[in-house]
């Protein structure tokens, strides 16, 4: 059996206070409990650490040598706990965040300067993938996922929702005309996703319900690619607000078929593995992102 921290603490406290009784009072334990801890420690080490007399306790030579190591061990534990407490107050360390390229570019990157000012001791590592990843394999602390979650082994924290809108550039609409009803889209260039197929169901009301399955004229795997094509006047696209808010504000993209568009929103979640209490750096990033997105 290996020595426990409790036995080391009992040993050090007995030496420091000069008696088992005084040690029991300081540690809020029974005298018999402290005595048993010392006995177990000596039994495990197969040596006598303290000579007990009726008047006092005296360290043996082996006990003096072991006390030196005991103090070093307990001091190191105290230092580690103090460092962890300091990190909770001022989080530090490397934080690996993964997100799809559009969300990283349009939602996270603009917030990095502010986050760095608040938490200068956190080193960010930002990775982008347009498909789900294995967090453990990629050594990722947090992954931002947009849309319904499928992996039940992950813990998730909702960060908010973003509305989907059907959009086109003024240049495209000037060249091809503005669709007046959903069926008019059959005469237009539609920009869609290669996968997943669910992203090609646009939130447009009609006899088909509140979703309309488009037949894309041009397809891409990345939402950012589709955004750039729409900005270039290639066609009509359906994208989330987090990607297009600035474009709509400056008039580079305008909403079409607004009256026929259902209020469809994509959930945004931060997902992570949680086997123990979350580290301060992860919690600080999640709190920060949640507040800014709200």
């Amino acid at each position: 059996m290996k020595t426990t921290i409790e036995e080391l603490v009992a040993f050090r406290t007995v030496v420091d206070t000069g008696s088992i009784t005084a040690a029991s009072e300081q540690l809020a334990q029974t005298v018999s409990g402290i005595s048993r801890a010392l006995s177990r420690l000596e039994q495990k080490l197969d040596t006598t650490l303290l000579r007990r007399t009726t008047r006092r306790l005296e360290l043996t030579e082996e006990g003096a040598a072991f006390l030196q190591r005991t103090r070093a061990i307990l001091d190191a534990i105290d230092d580690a706990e103090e460092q962890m407490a300091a990190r909770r107050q001022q989080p530090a360390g490397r934080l690996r965040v993964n997100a799809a390229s559009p969300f990283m570019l349009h939602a996270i990157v603009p917030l990095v300067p502010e986050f760095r000012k608040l938490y200068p001791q956190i080193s960010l590592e930002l990775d982008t993938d347009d498909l789900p990843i294995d967090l453990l394999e990629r050594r990722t602390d947090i992954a931002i996922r947009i849309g319904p979650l499928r992996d039940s082994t992950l813990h998730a924290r909702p960060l908010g929702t973003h509305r989907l809108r059907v959009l086109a550039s003024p240049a495209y609409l000037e060249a091809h005309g503005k669709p007046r009803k959903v069926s008019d889209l059959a005469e237009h260039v539609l920009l869609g996703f290669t996968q997943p197929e669910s992203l090609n169901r646009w939130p447009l009301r009609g006899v088909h319900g509140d979703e309309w399955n488009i037949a894309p004229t041009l397809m891409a795997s990345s939402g950012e690619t589709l955004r750039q094509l729409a900005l270039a006047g290639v066609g009509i696209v359906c994208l989330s607000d987090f990607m297009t808010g600035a474009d709509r504000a400056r008039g580079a993209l305008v909403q079409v078929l607004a009256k026929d568009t259902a209020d469809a929103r994509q959930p945004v979640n931060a997902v992570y593995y949680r086997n123990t209490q979350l580290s301060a750096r992860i919690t600080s990033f999640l709190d920060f992102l949640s507040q800014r997105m709200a």
Side-chain angles (χ1 to χ4, degrees), residues 171-193:
Y172 175 87
L173 297 176
E174 184 178 349
H176 300 275
K178 189 172 184 179
R180 302 296 175 184
K181 53 186 184 295
V182 176
S183 59
D184 290 347
L185 290 176
E187 307 300 322
H188 286 268
V189 176
L190 305 183
L191 308 176
F193 288 85

Side-chain angles (χ1 to χ4, degrees), residues 182 202-213 259-262:
V182 176
W202 291 7
L204 295 172
R205 300 187 188 93
V207 294
H208 44 270
D210 285 346
E211 286 187 337
W212 188 64
N213 290 309
K259 292 182 179 180
D260 296 306
T261 300

Side-chain angles (χ1 to χ4, degrees), residues 82-101:
E82 288 178 4
Q83 288 181 13
M84 290 301 102
R87 287 167 72 99
R88 287 193 295 272
Q89 295 172 2
Q90 184 60 48
R94 184 169 298 280
L95 180 66
R96 298 175 176 86
V97 180
N98 181 280
S101 300

Side-chain angles (χ1 to χ4, degrees), residues 161-165 205 239-242 244 248 255 258 261-266:
T161 61
H162 283 278
R163 188 175 181 181
L164 291 166
R165 300 177 196 267
R205 300 187 188 93
L239 293 173
S240 187
D241 277 356
F242 75 81
T244 63
R248 288 182 289 109
Q255 186 173 3
T261 300
D263 187 6
R265 297 176 182 271
Q266 288 184 314

Side-chain angles (χ1 to χ4, degrees), residues 35-204:
S35 182
R36 285 195 299 270
L38 288 177
S39 297
R40 287 196 306 271
L41 182 59
E42 290 181 326
Q43 184 177 3
K44 292 175 182 179
L45 297 174
D46 194 22
T47 190
T48 300
L49 300 174
L50 291 164
R51 293 191 185 93
R52 300 169 178 81
T53 68
T54 55
R55 302 183 62 179
R56 63 191 179 96
L57 294 173
E58 184 178 86
L59 280 169
T60 64
E61 183 177 346
E62 293 79 9
F66 189 71
L67 177 63
Q68 185 176 0
R69 293 297 183 91
T70 295
R71 293 193 190 282
I73 291 169
L74 295 179
D75 287 347
I77 292 173
D78 290 341
D79 288 343
E81 290 178 344
E82 288 178 4
Q83 288 181 13
M84 290 301 102
R87 287 167 72 99
R88 287 193 295 272
Q89 295 172 2
Q90 184 60 48
R94 184 169 298 280
L95 180 66
R96 298 175 176 86
V97 180
N98 181 280
S101 300
F103 193 86
M104 184 69 75
L105 289 171
H106 297 284
I108 294 180
V109 168
L111 297 175
V112 167
E114 183 185 1
F115 183 79
R116 291 284 299 139
K117 286 182 180 179
L118 291 173
Y119 303 102
Q121 296 183 45
I122 293 180
S123 299
L124 285 174
E125 184 177 303
L126 305 178
D127 297 315
T128 57
D129 287 279
D130 290 319
L131 295 175
I133 62 164
D134 186 314
L135 271 65
L136 290 179
E137 182 180 337
R138 296 285 291 275
R139 299 177 65 239
T140 296
D141 296 307
I142 302 170
I144 309 298
R145 293 188 177 171
I146 301 167
L149 294 176
R150 297 181 179 85
D151 194 339
S152 61
T153 65
L154 297 174
H155 292 266
R157 175 168 172 175
L159 297 177
T161 61
H162 283 278
R163 188 175 181 181
L164 291 166
R165 300 177 196 267
V166 180
L167 306 159
S169 71
Y172 175 87
L173 297 176
E174 184 178 349
H176 300 275
K178 189 172 184 179
R180 302 296 175 184
K181 53 186 184 295
V182 176
S183 59
D184 290 347
L185 290 176
E187 307 300 322
H188 286 268
V189 176
L190 305 183
L191 308 176
F193 288 85
T194 54
Q195 60 176 310
E197 183 59 32
S198 60
L199 293 178
N200 292 328
R201 292 196 291 268
W202 291 7
L204 295 172

